[in-house]
Amino acid sequence: MATVADVMTREPRSMTPEDTLADAAKVMDELNVGVVPVCEGDRLVGVVTDRDIVVRAIARDMDAKSCKLTDVMSGHVRTARIDDDVDEVLSEMANAQIRRMPVVDKDDKLVGILSIGDIAAKSPADEEDVAVSLGDISTPAEPDRGGVAQKQGQKQKQSG
């Protein structure tokens, strides 16, 4: 039975809630990652993803150089613990459709990040489970019916 500690990436880089979107984008580019944990001290308070930057900020015309991470980060984050079973965490990731999960200790101190890639690279026996989970994670969610496409459709109906 592999535990999260066996496969996670240790000591991930984190940012503060007061850092800017531009700073986060630079860190993501530098590290070639799509998520950065957000911490107050060493306690995890959220994560910011590349999607948060695009959908919650840029699409709403927020200025990347002045907008703080606290304004767009996901604050209620699913986390794993070091001694959690990898298969159980993988199942939770699939059900929640997430590709990476911060790892915290009993005091919510950030100690690592667990990604689908970590599990695939370090647990070859779990290769089939990873493939199934990745398929579940990648299943398209229902579209936001209040989004741009619906608004455009409403405009067309009104003008037609």
Side-chain angles (χ1 to χ4, degrees), residues 13 21-32 53 65:
R13 184 149 171 203
L21 295 179
D23 294 333
K26 288 175 187 171
V27 166
M28 288 178 190
D29 182 41
E30 176 186 323
L31 300 176
N32 194 27
I53 292 171
K65 291 182 180 178

Side-chain angles (χ1 to χ4, degrees), residues 10 13 17 24 38 40 48 51 82 98 102 106 114 116 133 143 155 158:
R10 296 179 183 274
R13 184 149 171 203
V38 180
E40 288 180 342
V48 65
R51 181 172 167 76
I82 290 177
I98 55 177
K106 62 182 175 19
L114 180 68
I116 293 288
S133 295
K155 285 181 185 177
Q158 290 171 355

Side-chain angles (χ1 to χ4, degrees), residues 6-159:
D6 296 329
V7 297
M8 72 180 192
T9 298
R10 296 179 183 274
E11 300 178 19
R13 184 149 171 203
S14 65
M15 302 189 78
T16 73
E18 296 304 308
D19 287 325
T20 67
L21 295 179
D23 294 333
K26 288 175 187 171
V27 166
M28 288 178 190
D29 182 41
E30 176 186 323
L31 300 176
N32 194 27
V33 297
V35 65
V36 177
V38 180
C39 295
E40 288 180 342
D42 54 10
R43 190 171 79 56
L44 181 71
V45 295
V47 296
V48 65
T49 66
D50 45 7
R51 181 172 167 76
D52 292 333
I53 292 171
V54 172
V55 174
R56 292 185 180 170
I58 304 302
R60 295 180 183 160
D61 293 325
M62 294 178 167
D63 178 38
K65 291 182 180 178
S66 63
C67 183
K68 305 295 183 199
L69 296 185
T70 193
D71 297 328
V72 298
M73 71 182 192
S74 300
H76 298 286
V77 181
R78 291 177 187 265
T79 59
R81 304 279 180 181
I82 290 177
D83 56 351
D84 286 348
D85 177 78
V86 169
D87 291 333
E88 290 176 16
V89 174
L90 185 60
S91 177
E92 183 179 342
M93 292 169 78
N95 290 337
Q97 291 190 305
I98 55 177
R99 290 178 166 85
R100 34 210 174 222
M101 188 179 285
V103 181
V104 296
D105 66 11
K106 62 182 175 19
D107 299 316
D108 288 331
K109 176 183 172 187
L110 179 69
V111 294
I113 291 267
L114 180 68
S115 73
I116 293 288
D118 292 331
I119 297 168
K122 297 177 185 170
S123 297
D126 291 331
E127 200 171 286
E128 186 176 328
D129 292 338
V130 170
V132 169
S133 295
L134 187 55
D136 291 342
I137 290 167
S138 301
T139 300
E142 288 294 316
D144 177 3
R145 299 295 180 206
V148 174
Q150 182 182 8
K151 290 175 186 170
Q152 288 174 340
Q154 288 171 347
K155 285 181 185 177
Q156 288 174 349
K157 286 181 185 176
Q158 290 171 355
S159 65

